[in-house]
């Protein structure tokens, strides 16, 4: 386990060299399961303190059910299931954990440096600026160590940012460990041939299960002979 982070990062690096987007994403998810001591088919709710498969079953059925950790966090505290047999201290552990659990929003913008009209022409060096905001932090706060009680070594919260094509090729992949509340990450590449493009943007946790996000980035490349 001491070497697992470095080994998994190396697996991701090999996936990048082989241009295998899906394999890289799967390796990142494997790292999440290793950190949280979970099997790949386990519910993300098992990351909650004191939760076992019994508590998860209660959460996943009936009115006000939650099948994943995001849905569970979004419920009002008095609507959260699975804690009927918990002591007051155990309940507080769960609620405190949910305030520490990363809550991110992702925005992206496409532009060309020193270009005022935001248009992209074939052959331009264009930038996709990905802005990651940790909504669970207050201004000036920084992300700390990952909550992973079964992982015997400290691990800093980080996010993998991946830009890929719809046919599974990698344009960019990087692990961003910046702990600030708002993180800007620039992806630079040469604009492709004239046309309309939709890229997949993935933001994946290095340590938590069920928090990953995927959005589309649209790019229109214009004919540079019209300049």
């Amino acid at each position: 386990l001491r070497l697992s982070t470095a080994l998994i990062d190396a697996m991701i690096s090999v996936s990048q060299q082989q241009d295998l987007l899906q394999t890289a994403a799967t390796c990142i998810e494997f790292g999440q399961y290793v950190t949280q001591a979970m099997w790949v088919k386990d519910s993300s709710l098992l990351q909650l303190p004191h939760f076992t498969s019994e508590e998860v079953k209660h959460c996943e059925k009936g009115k006000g059910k939650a099948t994943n950790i995001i849905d569970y966090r979004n419920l009002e505290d008095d609507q959260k299931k699975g804690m009927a047999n918990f002591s007051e201290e155990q309940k507080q552990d769960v609620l405190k954990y949910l305030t520490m659990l990363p809550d991110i929003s992702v925005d992206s913008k496409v532009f060309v440096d020193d270009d005022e009209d935001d248009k992209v022409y074939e052959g331009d060096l264009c930038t996709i600026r990905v802005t990651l905001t940790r909504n669970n932090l207050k201004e000036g706060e920084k992300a700390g160590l990952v909550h992973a009680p079964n992982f015997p070594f400290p691990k800093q919260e980080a996010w993998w940012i991946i830009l890929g094509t719809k046919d599974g090729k990698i344009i960019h992949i990087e692990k961003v460990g910046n702990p600030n509340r708002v993180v800007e990450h620039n992806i630079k590449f040469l604009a492709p041939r004239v046309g309309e493009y939709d890229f997949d943007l993935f933001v994946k946790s290095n340590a938590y299960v069920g928090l990953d996000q995927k959005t589309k980035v649209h790019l229109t490349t214009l004919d540079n002979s019209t300049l």
Side-chain angles (χ1 to χ4, degrees):
L1 285 173
R2 184 170 55 82
L3 300 172
S4 61
T5 300
L7 288 167
I8 291 164
D9 284 2
M11 289 159 65
I12 295 161
S13 179
V14 171
S15 303
Q16 180 181 7
Q17 287 159 14
Q18 299 293 322
D19 209 9
L20 300 170
L21 176 62
Q22 187 54 57
T23 308
T26 304
C27 290
I28 293 167
E29 288 160 22
F30 176 63
Q32 298 168 0
Y33 289 111
V34 169
T35 305
Q36 296 296 338
M38 289 164 61
W39 294 108
V40 293
K41 289 195 165 55
D42 281 345
S43 165
S44 58
L45 293 166
L46 279 176
Q47 294 168 105
L48 291 163
H50 316 298
F51 265 56
T52 68
S53 55
E54 209 49 51
E55 282 76 27
V56 170
K57 272 185 210 160
H58 284 297
C59 294
E60 292 182 334
K61 63 186 181 188
K63 192 179 172 192
K65 67 179 179 181
T67 56
N68 60 62
I69 201 156
I70 301 275
D71 289 348
Y72 192 81
R73 176 174 60 195
N74 291 340
L75 289 169
E76 295 295 331
D77 287 353
D78 60 356
Q79 302 292 313
K80 289 180 168 72
K81 295 179 162 188
M83 295 190 280
N85 298 325
F86 283 9
S87 67
E88 193 52 42
E89 190 179 355
Q90 288 174 318
K91 288 177 187 171
Q92 289 308 313
D93 285 346
V94 173
L95 298 177
K96 182 156 193 278
Y97 170 82
L98 289 168
T99 65
M100 291 164 37
L101 186 70
D103 173 14
I104 64 160
S105 50
V106 178
D107 292 301
S108 61
K109 181 187 178 191
V110 183
F111 63 92
V112 176
D113 287 344
D114 305 323
D115 196 342
E116 291 168 10
D117 64 2
D118 276 348
K119 289 180 178 170
V120 178
Y121 293 88
E122 184 177 348
D124 274 350
L125 180 63
C126 61
T127 302
I128 296 177
R129 176 165 294 154
V130 180
T131 304
L132 185 153
T133 306
R134 292 178 168 99
N135 302 308
N136 57 303
L137 297 184
K138 296 189 181 78
E139 205 62 55
E141 284 186 337
K142 293 186 186 296
L145 295 176
V146 167
H147 182 275
N150 293 307
F151 194 77
F153 303 97
K155 191 165 186 171
Q156 186 68 36
E157 182 191 316
W159 295 87
W160 286 93
I161 296 178
I162 312 170
L163 187 71
T165 63
K166 60 185 177 187
D167 57 352
K169 302 293 183 192
I170 297 171
I171 297 171
H172 174 91
I173 181 169
E174 191 171 335
K175 182 160 70 170
V176 178
N178 186 329
N180 291 339
R181 181 178 181 272
V182 179
V183 179
E184 288 188 345
H185 179 73
N186 289 340
I187 301 170
K188 293 185 180 287
F189 61 101
L190 287 176
R193 287 179 296 189
V194 176
E196 304 275 334
Y197 297 89
D198 278 312
F199 300 116
D200 289 322
L201 176 66
F202 300 87
V203 178
K204 299 178 83 65
S205 172
N206 71 325
Y208 292 101
V209 177
L211 303 185
D212 298 347
Q213 294 201 17
K214 177 185 176 184
T215 59
K216 293 277 186 198
V217 176
H218 184 75
L219 172 67
T220 302
T221 308
L222 304 172
D223 186 343
N224 55 21
S225 66
T226 60
L227 280 167

mmCIF file of all heavy atoms in Angstrom, residues 66-90:
data_model
loop_
_atom_site.group_PDB
_atom_site.id
_atom_site.type_symbol
_atom_site.label_atom_id
_atom_site.label_comp_id
_atom_site.label_asym_id
_atom_site.label_seq_id
_atom_site.Cartn_x
_atom_site.Cartn_y
_atom_site.Cartn_z
ATOM 1 N N ALA A 66 -31.369 7.174 -0.977
ATOM 2 C CA ALA A 66 -30.147 7.707 -1.591
ATOM 3 C C ALA A 66 -29.291 6.515 -2.000
ATOM 4 O O ALA A 66 -28.972 5.668 -1.176
ATOM 5 C CB ALA A 66 -29.397 8.587 -0.601
ATOM 6 N N THR A 67 -28.948 6.461 -3.277
ATOM 7 C CA THR A 67 -28.170 5.308 -3.766
ATOM 8 C C THR A 67 -26.684 5.627 -3.903
ATOM 9 O O THR A 67 -25.895 4.753 -4.230
ATOM 10 C CB THR A 67 -28.713 4.832 -5.125
ATOM 11 O OG1 THR A 67 -28.696 5.942 -6.028
ATOM 12 C CG2 THR A 67 -30.132 4.307 -5.001
ATOM 13 N N ASN A 68 -26.312 6.878 -3.673
ATOM 14 C CA ASN A 68 -24.885 7.227 -3.744
ATOM 15 C C ASN A 68 -24.591 8.353 -2.748
ATOM 16 O O ASN A 68 -25.504 8.962 -2.185
ATOM 17 C CB ASN A 68 -24.485 7.628 -5.169
ATOM 18 C CG ASN A 68 -25.268 8.832 -5.660
ATOM 19 O OD1 ASN A 68 -25.170 9.917 -5.090
ATOM 20 N ND2 ASN A 68 -26.066 8.649 -6.707
ATOM 21 N N ILE A 69 -23.322 8.631 -2.571
ATOM 22 C CA ILE A 69 -22.911 9.545 -1.502
ATOM 23 C C ILE A 69 -23.310 10.999 -1.791
ATOM 24 O O ILE A 69 -23.589 11.771 -0.877
ATOM 25 C CB ILE A 69 -21.395 9.404 -1.236
ATOM 26 C CG1 ILE A 69 -21.056 9.919 0.174
ATOM 27 C CG2 ILE A 69 -20.558 10.080 -2.302
ATOM 28 C CD1 ILE A 69 -19.796 9.349 0.759
ATOM 29 N N ILE A 70 -23.383 11.372 -3.072
ATOM 30 C CA ILE A 70 -23.810 12.745 -3.424
ATOM 31 C C ILE A 70 -25.278 12.947 -3.052
ATOM 32 O O ILE A 70 -25.646 13.949 -2.430
ATOM 33 C CB ILE A 70 -23.622 12.998 -4.938
ATOM 34 C CG1 ILE A 70 -22.163 12.805 -5.344
ATOM 35 C CG2 ILE A 70 -24.120 14.390 -5.314
ATOM 36 C CD1 ILE A 70 -21.263 13.970 -5.174
ATOM 37 N N ASP A 71 -26.129 11.979 -3.456
ATOM 38 C CA ASP A 71 -27.561 12.075 -3.113
ATOM 39 C C ASP A 71 -27.744 12.124 -1.596
ATOM 40 O O ASP A 71 -28.585 12.866 -1.080
ATOM 41 C CB ASP A 71 -28.338 10.872 -3.669
ATOM 42 C CG ASP A 71 -28.456 10.926 -5.181
ATOM 43 O OD1 ASP A 71 -28.141 11.988 -5.758
ATOM 44 O OD2 ASP A 71 -28.849 9.912 -5.780
ATOM 45 N N TYR A 72 -26.960 11.315 -0.888
ATOM 46 C CA TYR A 72 -27.075 11.254 0.575
ATOM 47 C C TYR A 72 -26.718 12.605 1.197
ATOM 48 O O TYR A 72 -27.409 13.098 2.084
ATOM 49 C CB TYR A 72 -26.170 10.150 1.119
ATOM 50 C CG TYR A 72 -26.428 9.809 2.559
ATOM 51 C CD1 TYR A 72 -27.488 8.968 2.914
ATOM 52 C CD2 TYR A 72 -25.624 10.306 3.582
ATOM 53 C CE1 TYR A 72 -27.739 8.639 4.242
ATOM 54 C CE2 TYR A 72 -25.867 9.984 4.911
ATOM 55 C CZ TYR A 72 -26.930 9.150 5.234
ATOM 56 O OH TYR A 72 -27.175 8.841 6.550
ATOM 57 N N ARG A 73 -25.631 13.208 0.708
ATOM 58 C CA ARG A 73 -25.214 14.518 1.245
ATOM 59 C C ARG A 73 -26.284 15.581 0.984
ATOM 60 O O ARG A 73 -26.490 16.472 1.807
ATOM 61 C CB ARG A 73 -23.887 14.944 0.604
ATOM 62 C CG ARG A 73 -23.431 16.323 1.037
ATOM 63 C CD ARG A 73 -22.059 16.674 0.521
ATOM 64 N NE ARG A 73 -22.000 16.664 -0.919
ATOM 65 C CZ ARG A 73 -20.869 16.659 -1.617
ATOM 66 N NH1 ARG A 73 -19.708 16.627 -0.990
ATOM 67 N NH2 ARG A 73 -20.890 16.656 -2.927
ATOM 68 N N ASN A 74 -26.962 15.485 -0.153
ATOM 69 C CA ASN A 74 -27.938 16.516 -0.529
ATOM 70 C C ASN A 74 -29.249 16.434 0.261
ATOM 71 O O ASN A 74 -30.045 17.366 0.243
ATOM 72 C CB ASN A 74 -28.242 16.441 -2.027
ATOM 73 C CG ASN A 74 -27.029 16.868 -2.860
ATOM 74 O OD1 ASN A 74 -26.135 17.541 -2.348
ATOM 75 N ND2 ASN A 74 -26.990 16.466 -4.111
ATOM 76 N N LEU A 75 -29.470 15.316 0.957
ATOM 77 C CA LEU A 75 -30.681 15.193 1.783
ATOM 78 C C LEU A 75 -30.575 16.086 3.026
ATOM 79 O O LEU A 75 -29.473 16.337 3.528
ATOM 80 C CB LEU A 75 -30.867 13.742 2.244
ATOM 81 C CG LEU A 75 -31.275 12.707 1.196
ATOM 82 C CD1 LEU A 75 -31.152 11.305 1.789
ATOM 83 C CD2 LEU A 75 -32.700 12.950 0.708
ATOM 84 N N GLU A 76 -31.716 16.562 3.511
ATOM 85 C CA GLU A 76 -31.725 17.265 4.802
ATOM 86 C C GLU A 76 -31.259 16.294 5.886
ATOM 87 O O GLU A 76 -31.507 15.088 5.801
ATOM 88 C CB GLU A 76 -33.142 17.749 5.132
ATOM 89 C CG GLU A 76 -33.693 18.811 4.179
ATOM 90 C CD GLU A 76 -32.916 20.126 4.252
ATOM 91 O OE1 GLU A 76 -32.372 20.421 5.333
ATOM 92 O OE2 GLU A 76 -32.866 20.827 3.229
ATOM 93 N N ASP A 77 -30.603 16.820 6.914
ATOM 94 C CA ASP A 77 -30.032 15.950 7.954
ATOM 95 C C ASP A 77 -31.074 15.023 8.573
ATOM 96 O O ASP A 77 -30.796 13.845 8.847
ATOM 97 C CB ASP A 77 -29.357 16.785 9.045
ATOM 98 C CG ASP A 77 -28.031 17.381 8.558
ATOM 99 O OD1 ASP A 77 -27.606 17.022 7.428
ATOM 100 O OD2 ASP A 77 -27.442 18.191 9.287
ATOM 101 N N ASP A 78 -32.301 15.535 8.785
ATOM 102 C CA ASP A 78 -33.308 14.682 9.421
ATOM 103 C C ASP A 78 -33.923 13.665 8.450
ATOM 104 O O ASP A 78 -34.710 12.812 8.844
ATOM 105 C CB ASP A 78 -34.403 15.531 10.084
ATOM 106 C CG ASP A 78 -35.125 16.431 9.075
ATOM 107 O OD1 ASP A 78 -34.727 16.449 7.894
ATOM 108 O OD2 ASP A 78 -36.081 17.115 9.487
ATOM 109 N N GLN A 79 -33.550 13.758 7.181
ATOM 110 C CA GLN A 79 -34.031 12.801 6.170
ATOM 111 C C GLN A 79 -33.001 11.702 5.876
ATOM 112 O O GLN A 79 -33.277 10.761 5.144
ATOM 113 C CB GLN A 79 -34.331 13.528 4.847
ATOM 114 C CG GLN A 79 -35.366 14.640 4.961
ATOM 115 C CD GLN A 79 -36.753 14.106 5.272
ATOM 116 O OE1 GLN A 79 -37.208 13.167 4.643
ATOM 117 N NE2 GLN A 79 -37.403 14.685 6.269
ATOM 118 N N LYS A 80 -31.813 11.847 6.434
ATOM 119 C CA LYS A 80 -30.743 10.889 6.138
ATOM 120 C C LYS A 80 -31.009 9.570 6.868
ATOM 121 O O LYS A 80 -31.133 9.546 8.086
ATOM 122 C CB LYS A 80 -29.380 11.465 6.551
ATOM 123 C CG LYS A 80 -28.915 12.608 5.659
ATOM 124 C CD LYS A 80 -27.564 13.150 6.116
ATOM 125 C CE LYS A 80 -26.948 14.076 5.084
ATOM 126 N NZ LYS A 80 -27.611 15.369 4.981
ATOM 127 N N LYS A 81 -31.055 8.494 6.090
ATOM 128 C CA LYS A 81 -31.367 7.184 6.668
ATOM 129 C C LYS A 81 -30.106 6.453 7.113
ATOM 130 O O LYS A 81 -28.985 6.888 6.863
ATOM 131 C CB LYS A 81 -32.083 6.323 5.618
ATOM 132 C CG LYS A 81 -33.447 6.859 5.203
ATOM 133 C CD LYS A 81 -34.023 5.925 4.157
ATOM 134 C CE LYS A 81 -35.519 6.124 4.029
ATOM 135 N NZ LYS A 81 -36.116 5.119 3.165
ATOM 136 N N GLY A 82 -30.325 5.300 7.730
ATOM 137 C CA GLY A 82 -29.211 4.411 8.060
ATOM 138 C C GLY A 82 -28.582 4.641 9.415
ATOM 139 O O GLY A 82 -27.701 3.899 9.835
ATOM 140 N N MET A 83 -29.024 5.678 10.139
ATOM 141 C CA MET A 83 -28.371 5.995 11.419
ATOM 142 C C MET A 83 -29.263 5.730 12.616
ATOM 143 O O MET A 83 -28.968 6.195 13.725
ATOM 144 C CB MET A 83 -27.912 7.459 11.408
ATOM 145 C CG MET A 83 -26.844 7.747 10.374
ATOM 146 S SD MET A 83 -26.107 9.391 10.554
ATOM 147 C CE MET A 83 -27.355 10.413 9.760
ATOM 148 N N ALA A 84 -30.336 4.978 12.423
ATOM 149 C CA ALA A 84 -31.305 4.735 13.508
ATOM 150 C C ALA A 84 -30.651 4.102 14.732
ATOM 151 O O ALA A 84 -31.016 4.410 15.875
ATOM 152 C CB ALA A 84 -32.438 3.850 12.996
ATOM 153 N N ASN A 85 -29.680 3.219 14.524
ATOM 154 C CA ASN A 85 -29.042 2.517 15.656
ATOM 155 C C ASN A 85 -27.724 3.159 16.099
ATOM 156 O O ASN A 85 -26.993 2.580 16.892
ATOM 157 C CB ASN A 85 -28.797 1.049 15.277
ATOM 158 C CG ASN A 85 -30.097 0.317 14.998
ATOM 159 O OD1 ASN A 85 -31.112 0.590 15.645
ATOM 160 N ND2 ASN A 85 -30.077 -0.594 14.033
ATOM 161 N N PHE A 86 -27.419 4.330 15.551
ATOM 162 C CA PHE A 86 -26.158 4.997 15.884
ATOM 163 C C PHE A 86 -26.301 5.789 17.187
ATOM 164 O O PHE A 86 -27.381 6.297 17.498
ATOM 165 C CB PHE A 86 -25.741 5.960 14.774
ATOM 166 C CG PHE A 86 -25.143 5.294 13.552
ATOM 167 C CD1 PHE A 86 -25.174 3.924 13.395
ATOM 168 C CD2 PHE A 86 -24.556 6.048 12.545
ATOM 169 C CE1 PHE A 86 -24.631 3.308 12.280
ATOM 170 C CE2 PHE A 86 -24.015 5.457 11.426
ATOM 171 C CZ PHE A 86 -24.044 4.086 11.293
ATOM 172 N N SER A 87 -25.202 5.918 17.902
ATOM 173 C CA SER A 87 -25.168 6.821 19.056
ATOM 174 C C SER A 87 -25.120 8.256 18.523
ATOM 175 O O SER A 87 -24.829 8.485 17.336
ATOM 176 C CB SER A 87 -23.926 6.552 19.903
ATOM 177 O OG SER A 87 -22.760 6.918 19.175
ATOM 178 N N GLU A 88 -25.356 9.209 19.400
ATOM 179 C CA GLU A 88 -25.316 10.623 18.985
ATOM 180 C C GLU A 88 -23.935 10.980 18.439
ATOM 181 O O GLU A 88 -23.799 11.717 17.451
ATOM 182 C CB GLU A 88 -25.674 11.525 20.181
ATOM 183 C CG GLU A 88 -25.961 12.976 19.799
ATOM 184 C CD GLU A 88 -27.001 13.135 18.687
ATOM 185 O OE1 GLU A 88 -28.036 12.429 18.691
ATOM 186 O OE2 GLU A 88 -26.756 13.954 17.788
ATOM 187 N N GLU A 89 -22.904 10.429 19.072
ATOM 188 C CA GLU A 89 -21.523 10.703 18.637
ATOM 189 C C GLU A 89 -21.281 10.150 17.226
ATOM 190 O O GLU A 89 -20.653 10.811 16.387
ATOM 191 C CB GLU A 89 -20.546 10.059 19.629
ATOM 192 C CG GLU A 89 -19.116 10.491 19.398
ATOM 193 C CD GLU A 89 -18.152 9.872 20.402
ATOM 194 O OE1 GLU A 89 -18.622 9.177 21.336
ATOM 195 O OE2 GLU A 89 -16.942 10.079 20.241
ATOM 196 N N GLN A 90 -21.787 8.946 16.950
ATOM 197 C CA GLN A 90 -21.619 8.351 15.620
ATOM 198 C C GLN A 90 -22.352 9.171 14.555
ATOM 199 O O GLN A 90 -21.839 9.380 13.454
ATOM 200 C CB GLN A 90 -22.140 6.909 15.618
ATOM 201 C CG GLN A 90 -21.236 5.945 16.382
ATOM 202 C CD GLN A 90 -21.849 4.556 16.483
ATOM 203 O OE1 GLN A 90 -23.049 4.410 16.733
ATOM 204 N NE2 GLN A 90 -21.029 3.534 16.287
#
